[in-house]
Structure formats: structure tokens, C-alpha cells
Amino acid sequence: MRDGLTDYRENRLMTYGDILIEAMAEATGESKEELTFLLGIFRKQFPKANLDEELSEEEAAALLEKLRKDKDGIRELFTSGELPHGDCKSGDCKG
């Protein structure tokens, strides 16, 4: 495992879903286990998003670092209960 970017459960690379949960956990202080229900909600809201796609360690590190810089925005999303609208395919979700 390098830099925590390999999933310990299956010794596999992180997926977009793993990164989403990691960023939410860091921003809110909630446990990853408690946040896993969000993947189901995101899958329904954004059916075109491939949350199970694995990223290279470098891609995962870059995305996680980007999300860490927006902890306030993530915390606001989590506490408002409102999901962004759109398919987020471009990465530019609109709230």
C-alpha cells in the first residue's frame, strides 16, 4: 500500500467511489462505513458516473488532493442534503 491509495480490503487501486467516501470522511469527520450509503444515492442521481472505475495511484492522489482543498464545499454539500444536478461527466456539477 502506497500513500493509502490502495484499498486494503482487496489490495486494489482506489475507485472514484472510494475517493468520494474518503473525501467526505475527511471533510465531515464521519466514518467511511457510515458514509458508504451515499454511493447508492450518487449512483441513482448520476447513473452515467462510473464510481467503480479504478484510478492509477497518481490519478487517485491528484483527485484526492483536489477534493481535500475543497473541504468546506464538501462539508456544505453534506450538511445541506442537496446533491448537485447534472450528470457530472465533465466534473463540473451544478448545485
Side-chain angles (χ1 to χ4, degrees), residues 16-50:
Y16 283 107
D18 296 331
I19 293 168
L20 175 66
I21 294 301
E22 178 69 30
M24 292 287 286
E26 289 180 16
T28 65
E30 297 292 328
S31 75
K32 292 179 195 178
E33 291 77 21
E34 291 177 5
L35 294 170
T36 56
F37 77 94
L38 289 175
L39 286 179
I41 294 170
F42 277 40
R43 281 186 174 98
K44 287 179 183 176
Q45 182 74 19
F46 308 108
K48 294 180 182 179
N50 189 356

Side-chain angles (χ1 to χ4, degrees), residues 49-84:
N50 189 356
L51 297 175
D52 297 320
E53 181 179 338
E54 292 182 341
L55 289 83
S56 70
E57 289 184 17
E58 294 78 18
E59 291 171 320
L63 180 55
L64 196 50
E65 185 60 30
K66 182 178 178 181
L67 291 172
R68 284 176 173 148
K69 290 178 181 178
D70 192 24
K71 282 186 178 182
D72 290 338
I74 292 171
R75 202 174 296 115
E76 182 180 326
L77 171 70
F78 185 76
T79 58
S80 73
E82 294 182 24
L83 294 174

